[in-house]
Amino acid sequence: MKDSLGASLLAAGAKYVHGAMGTVPKSVHSFLHATEFVGEKLAQGGIPATSLRHVPLYIDRSRFASRSPKADYLVYAGRLVREKGLATLFQAMRALPDVKLRLLGDGPMRAELDQLARDMGLRNIEFAGFLDEAEYVAQLGGARALVLPSELYETCGLVMWEAMTMGVPVIASRIGGIPESIVENETGLSFEPGNAQELTDKIRQVLGDSGAAARMAARGDDLVRAHCESHYERIMGIYDEAIAGAGK
């Protein structure tokens, strides 16, 4: 799991024990998964398909209701760690010297990334660091686009939903559960993880057609709204199902 050998061994051990004892199907009515990708992984791990229930995640859309005037920069929002694909993003930014990128967030790679930017001669990257919520919302909402270049599995990538809710188009890597929120050229743009050239091309596409970018952001907002508005009903339906079957 991620970079943790201990966590991976623990998860593998738990899977083995539950599989050997047959305790998972006996003790749990439903396993909720936020994306179909996660559901597939759970099924591969031995969870019975009949116990799997897809319930997309939820965000409080009221927190991202404001629409900031768009400024001339791209934004990345998240931890500064290797698996987020920031080295690939830096390669793309080297090919786009007139495009500004703001990194919202902090993490263990901050110093390394700062040095990498210097070594690559990148003058178009700004490290904003950790921000309070008001400033985060303002910075995210003011961007021309959000870039999510993850190179290891993401369950969903909720920052995409936050951006879409504020009318910010999304460019994200095709990995894990991310593609389930990206209908190409409809709700956003996607690229192969680690492919700096394709990422560069997608950034140029967004910046070169503001009308198409706005339409993608609006359709992304529709997708997020639909998921959030149905979240409660989905959860309660599963509770009702579990209660009805408890005495059987």
Side-chain angles (χ1 to χ4, degrees):
M1 298 178 68
K2 296 289 185 180
D3 296 321
S4 172
L5 176 60
S8 298
L9 291 174
L10 181 62
K15 173 186 169 184
Y16 173 80
V17 170
H18 283 301
M21 296 177 65
T23 54
V24 170
K26 292 179 180 178
S27 60
V28 179
H29 176 273
S30 298
F31 290 86
L32 278 56
H33 53 96
T35 56
E36 295 294 358
F37 164 76
V38 173
E40 291 172 3
K41 292 300 178 184
L42 290 172
Q44 292 171 10
I47 303 299
T50 54
S51 298
L52 295 172
R53 302 290 185 274
H54 179 207
V55 181
L57 294 175
Y58 174 88
I59 63 170
D60 181 356
R61 288 170 48 80
S62 66
R63 293 171 52 205
F64 307 98
S66 62
R67 295 295 179 100
S68 303
K70 296 296 179 279
D72 192 20
Y73 64 89
L74 305 174
V75 71
Y76 162 85
R79 294 184 303 132
L80 304 186
V81 290
R82 194 170 307 280
E83 59 264 30
K84 293 297 186 178
L86 293 166
T88 298
L89 179 53
F90 280 23
Q91 292 177 43
M93 296 310 298
R94 181 164 56 182
L96 301 163
D98 296 327
V99 178
K100 297 178 182 179
L101 169 68
R102 289 182 183 171
L103 304 176
L104 312 184
D106 214 332
M109 281 192 70
R110 168 65 183 268
E112 182 178 340
L113 288 170
D114 185 63
Q115 186 60 52
L116 179 61
R118 294 173 187 274
D119 292 344
M120 295 176 70
L122 299 177
R123 299 179 180 275
N124 54 344
I125 294 179
E126 175 187 340
F127 291 84
F130 181 81
L131 305 174
D132 62 30
E133 180 167 316
E135 185 61 21
Y136 167 73
V137 169
Q139 293 287 334
L140 179 60
R144 294 280 300 279
L146 167 77
V147 183
L148 185 63
S150 298
E151 294 178 3
L152 283 181
Y153 291 155
E154 296 269 4
T155 298
C156 173
L158 280 182
V159 66
M160 294 191 301
W161 287 17
E162 296 170 356
M164 289 171 175
T165 300
M166 289 190 288
V168 177
V170 172
I171 305 168
S173 56
R174 295 186 291 269
I175 193 168
I178 291 174
E180 295 177 39
S181 294
I182 301 292
V183 179
E184 193 71 13
N185 289 305
E186 291 291 328
T187 62
L189 297 175
S190 65
F191 65 98
E192 178 187 8
N195 189 328
Q197 182 58 59
E198 188 178 10
L199 172 55
T200 303
D201 293 342
K202 294 303 174 74
I203 292 173
R204 286 184 172 132
Q205 181 178 339
V206 165
L207 298 182
D209 190 340
S210 59
R215 288 191 293 273
M216 285 191 291
R219 289 168 183 155
D221 184 28
D222 291 340
L223 178 146
V224 175
R225 180 185 299 107
H227 282 323
C228 291
E229 289 180 349
S230 66
H231 184 83
Y232 176 79
E233 287 75 14
R234 287 176 185 249
I235 292 289
M236 293 308 297
I238 293 168
Y239 274 122
D240 291 342
E241 182 184 343
I243 292 169
K248 297 180 181 179

